């Protein structure tokens, strides 16, 4: 019965909330671990789960006592959130009379500031992406310029179709589809617009000739939509060429937000550009800029140091 209840919840997440395949796979993995834990306790239905079961599971995944891999606080919190959502859904569906997970809170996770790189490092990465002959450097430069110009997630960037981008002078923009397929239109700067125009005019048709005419904006060598993994590899190679270390797929997105706030952009504007549902998520970037301001103050003010 637990397996059926799990699949019912996952179907709800897929249809009603529009979660991506990758997110659904993570939910399935987390809930399967919880299901296995409950089965070991002789619990065959969510209606039979007690608060102690949920609390014991939350403790066990942090130590590996349930037989699985011990999880770091952030990962353990993610699993508990998935479990709480499943129980909440069970109450709504009438599978359970009450919610035994209500008082079991995810573990507090130390707030980690996003990693951002300097603007000159961004420029070096863009130049490095342009190195080489053929159509690939034009595509790679356009991809990375777009990610930094819009703050797009890698998945949002590779999910773009040609018609999602406008290069009309004065109205350059990209239509991004974020979590839950929520759409937002984000302006494109001059550098991104020029790089995209160069790619579309001089490179994309050459890549498309090898494929079946897909509408994707960014294509691979076979003329198919560029994958997230390939986009990450493009960023990694360009970063290594530029001598910028420890750059992840989210680094350009983090840098986009940090540089906007440092330049005086309102946090709610940045929230909209990033596609965050809550401004609280965006406000973590203000901590980065405050730290930068404090550092500059200490270094520059004559009476800030002894």
């Amino acid at each position: 019965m637990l397996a059926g209840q799990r699949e019912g919840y996952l179907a709800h997440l897929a249809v009603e909330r529009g979660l991506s395949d990758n997110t659904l796979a993570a939910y399935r993995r987390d809930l399967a671990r919880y299901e296995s834990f409950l089965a070991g306790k002789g619990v065959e239905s969510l209606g039979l789960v007690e608060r102690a079961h949920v609390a014991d599971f939350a403790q066990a995944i942090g130590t590996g006592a349930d037989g699985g891999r011990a999880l770091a606080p952030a990962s353990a919190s993610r699993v508990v959130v998935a479990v709480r959502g499943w129980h909440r859904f069970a109450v709504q569906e009438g599978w359970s009379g009450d919610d035994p997970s209500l008082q079991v809170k995810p573990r507090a996770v130390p707030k980690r500031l996003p990693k951002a790189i300097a603007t000159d490092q961004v420029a070096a990465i863009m130049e490095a992406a342009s190195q080489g002959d053929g159509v690939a450097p034009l595509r790679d430069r356009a991809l990375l310029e777009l990610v930094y110009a819009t703050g797009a997630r890698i998945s949002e960037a590779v999910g773009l179709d040609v018609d999602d981008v406008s290069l009309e002078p004065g109205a350059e923009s990209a239509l991004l589809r974020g979590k839950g397929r929520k759409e937002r239109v984000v302006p494109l700067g001059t550098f991104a617009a020029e790089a995209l125009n160069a790619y579309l005019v001089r490179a994309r048709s050459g890549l498309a000739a090898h494929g079946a005419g897909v509408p994707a904006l960014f294509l691979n060598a076979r003329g198919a939509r560029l994958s997230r993994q390939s986009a990450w590899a493009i960023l990694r190679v360009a970063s290594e060429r530029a001598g910028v270390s420890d750059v992840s797929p989210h680094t350009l997105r983090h840098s986009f937000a940090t540089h906007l706030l440092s330049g005086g952009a309102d946090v709610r504007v940045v929230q909209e550009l990033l596609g965050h549902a809550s401004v609280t998520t965006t406000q973590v970037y203000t901590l980065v800029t405050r730290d930068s301001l404090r550092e500059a103050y200490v270094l520059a003010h004559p009476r800030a140091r002894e």
Side-chain angles (χ1 to χ4, degrees), residues 95-257:
W95 301 340
S96 180
D98 55 14
D99 184 351
S101 70
L102 207 55
Q103 302 302 319
V104 180
K105 304 298 183 184
R107 293 175 62 184
V109 180
K111 184 175 288 185
R112 292 190 303 172
L113 297 179
K115 174 182 171 57
I117 56 177
T119 54
D120 60 338
Q121 292 178 307
V122 172
I125 290 173
M126 301 305 171
E127 290 301 320
S130 301
Q131 294 179 11
D133 300 320
V135 296
L138 290 169
R139 177 203 60 197
D140 297 352
R141 175 70 178 260
L143 171 67
L144 299 187
E145 288 280 10
L146 180 139
V147 171
Y148 177 63
T150 63
R153 302 173 179 90
I154 286 290
S155 58
E156 294 172 344
V158 298
L160 285 168
D161 289 340
V162 173
D163 290 343
D164 293 329
V165 173
S166 170
L167 297 180
E168 183 180 345
E172 297 91 342
S173 61
L175 173 63
L176 301 176
R177 296 173 180 84
K179 295 181 178 179
R181 302 298 292 173
K182 183 179 179 182
E183 296 183 348
R184 67 187 189 279
V185 176
V186 182
L188 289 172
T190 303
F191 286 92
E194 290 178 352
L196 281 165
N197 187 63
Y199 164 65
L200 289 171
V201 172
R202 298 161 49 196
R204 188 182 179 280
S205 59
L207 293 169
H210 301 290
V214 298
L217 175 61
F218 296 111
L219 303 176
N220 61 24
R222 298 183 303 278
R225 186 180 297 274
L226 194 71
S227 69
R228 291 167 58 249
Q229 293 79 5
S230 295
W232 184 91
I234 288 168
L235 174 58
R236 186 186 67 238
V237 170
S239 301
E240 290 174 351
R241 284 177 180 168
V244 184
S245 60
D246 195 26
V247 176
S248 74
H250 246 41
T251 300
L252 293 182
R253 177 171 163 86
H254 293 328
S255 302
F256 163 85

Side-chain angles (χ1 to χ4, degrees), residues 13-28:
L13 294 177
V15 175
E16 299 298 329
R17 292 180 52 189
L19 298 189
S20 69
D21 291 341
N22 288 334
T23 303
L24 288 171
Y27 267 88
R28 177 173 280 107

